[in-house]
Amino acid sequence: MTHHPEASASTDDLDGALDARFTFDYQQIGDLEPGQRWSTWGSCQPLSRGPEPWPDWIITDDAAVDTELGVLKTGKEADVFLLERSAPLDDRSVVLAAKRYRDNTHRTFHRNTAYTEGRKLPKKGGREARALAKSTSFGKTVAAGMWAWAEWEALVRFHRAGLPVPYPAQVDGTEILMELITDSDGAPAPRLAATRPDRNLLESLWVQLCDTITGLAGLGCVHGDLSAYNLLVAGERLVLIDLPQTVDLFGNPHGMDMLQRDCMNVAKWFVARGLDVDGEDLFGEVVARSV
C-alpha cells in the first residue's frame, strides 16, 4: 500500500488551505421583541416590490426586523403607522410609512361604486367574487386587499411617470409600505391643510398642484378625492398621497365630474388663503391639455 504523506496532514493545516469561498461567518440574532416582526420583503412577489432601481435606503436583507413605532394618522379607509425596518448585521435602518387597509366593517369610506366603475374585478362566479357579493369575512378581506392593490398600482405608475408621490416600497395583502415623506427638519411632513405658507410658497405650491393634476390627467387619471388633507408639504415640495380611489378619467363615467370636483376643492383652499385662483379655470385648462 502506497503511503501519501499529505493524507496525514493535521486539521490545522487543512483549515489554513480552505478556499475563502467555502467559509462563512455568522452572527446570532436575538429573539423578536413585542411589536416586532421579521421583514416581509422576502415573502413578497417581484410585482409587489417597488420599481427598480431601488433607492439606496431600501433594505432587502432576510434578517431585517420591522419594529412598530406608532400611529402616524388615521383615515377613512386605512390607518398609517410608522415602521422601522432595520438590518441588525450592519446597523442600517429606515423608517417607513405603513398604510394598512381596514375591512368594510371598519371603514367610513363607502362610495365604492362610483370609484370602481371601469376597474377589473374578480372573475365572475369565482370564490372571491362570491365572497364579495355575500360580504363574508373573507369577502371583506378581499375588498380591503383590492383597495390596497389599487393604491399600489397607482403609486407605482405615478412614480414611474415622475409625479410627486411617495416611493412605493412593497405591498403585502392589505398593507403598503412606502417612503415616509418628511419636512426640512426630518419630521413627518404635515398635510397642506395644517400649514400656513407665506405668499411665495403659496404660489409655488399652487403651480406644483396644477402641474400634478395636469400630469394625472395626462395619464388618463383623476385623484377622485383631492383636498388639502391628502397633500403633504415637504419643505417647499408638494406631495400627493391617498390614491386608492384614483379613477380612469375617460373609462369611468364619473371621471370628468370627479376631476372638476378635485379642481374646485383645492382651489377653494388656496382662495381662502388669499390667492387669486379659480377652480373652473383650472378644470378647463386640465381638460384642454388632456383631450
Side-chain angles (χ1 to χ4, degrees), residues 60-196:
T60 63
D61 304 45
D62 289 336
V65 174
D66 294 343
T67 303
E68 298 283 346
L69 300 181
V71 178
L72 177 61
K73 77 178 186 75
T74 58
K76 291 176 287 189
E77 72 283 327
D79 298 318
V80 180
F81 298 80
L82 293 176
L83 185 84
E84 181 181 38
R85 175 163 290 176
S86 57
L89 299 183
D90 57 13
D91 295 326
R92 289 181 300 124
S93 67
V94 61
V95 177
L96 301 165
K99 186 168 186 177
R100 294 165 186 161
Y101 278 81
R102 310 187 203 103
D103 64 39
N104 285 355
T105 303
H106 302 98
R107 296 173 67 224
T108 59
F109 189 74
H110 296 296
R111 295 173 290 170
N112 292 11
T113 304
Y115 290 95
T116 55
E117 289 189 56
R119 286 189 184 177
K120 291 183 179 180
L121 297 175
K123 185 178 180 181
K124 189 174 182 180
R127 182 192 177 205
E128 293 182 345
R130 294 195 304 271
L132 282 170
K134 295 179 180 178
S135 194
T136 63
S137 177
F138 173 64
K140 292 173 183 177
T141 300
V142 170
M146 288 172 59
W147 284 95
W149 187 257
E151 177 156 27
W152 169 258
E153 289 188 315
L155 283 167
V156 170
R157 184 181 182 191
F158 299 160
H159 173 79
R160 284 175 171 159
L163 293 175
V165 297
Y167 176 82
Q170 68 173 70
V171 61
D172 185 17
T174 59
E175 178 188 75
I176 301 175
L177 297 186
M178 65 187 82
E179 173 190 7
L180 176 65
I181 303 299
T182 59
D183 62 17
S184 54
D185 296 322
R191 300 177 186 182
L192 177 62
T195 65
R196 296 294 181 268

Side-chain angles (χ1 to χ4, degrees), residues 2-52:
T2 304
H3 177 68
H4 298 283
E6 63 273 16
S8 61
S10 68
T11 302
D12 291 340
D13 292 338
L14 289 175
D15 288 344
L18 286 177
D19 191 313
R21 292 174 298 176
F22 297 97
T23 64
F24 64 92
D25 294 324
Y26 70 91
Q27 178 179 334
Q28 184 173 352
I29 299 174
D31 295 332
L32 296 178
E33 300 291 336
Q36 291 185 325
R37 70 184 186 191
W38 296 113
S39 168
T40 53
W41 175 270
S43 62
C44 289
Q45 297 298 316
L47 290 179
S48 297
R49 296 172 181 167
E52 297 188 51

Side-chain angles (χ1 to χ4, degrees), residues 176-232:
I176 301 175
L177 297 186
M178 65 187 82
E179 173 190 7
L180 176 65
I181 303 299
T182 59
D183 62 17
S184 54
D185 296 322
R191 300 177 186 182
L192 177 62
T195 65
R196 296 294 181 268
D198 60 30
R199 181 74 182 190
N200 289 337
L201 181 55
L202 192 67
E203 292 177 349
S204 173
L205 294 175
W206 172 253
V207 171
Q208 292 179 56
L209 179 57
C210 293
D211 290 343
T212 299
I213 296 175
T214 302
L216 288 173
L219 295 174
C221 297
V222 183
H223 185 282
D225 192 36
L226 191 58
S227 74
Y229 289 93
N230 41 40
L231 291 162
L232 300 180

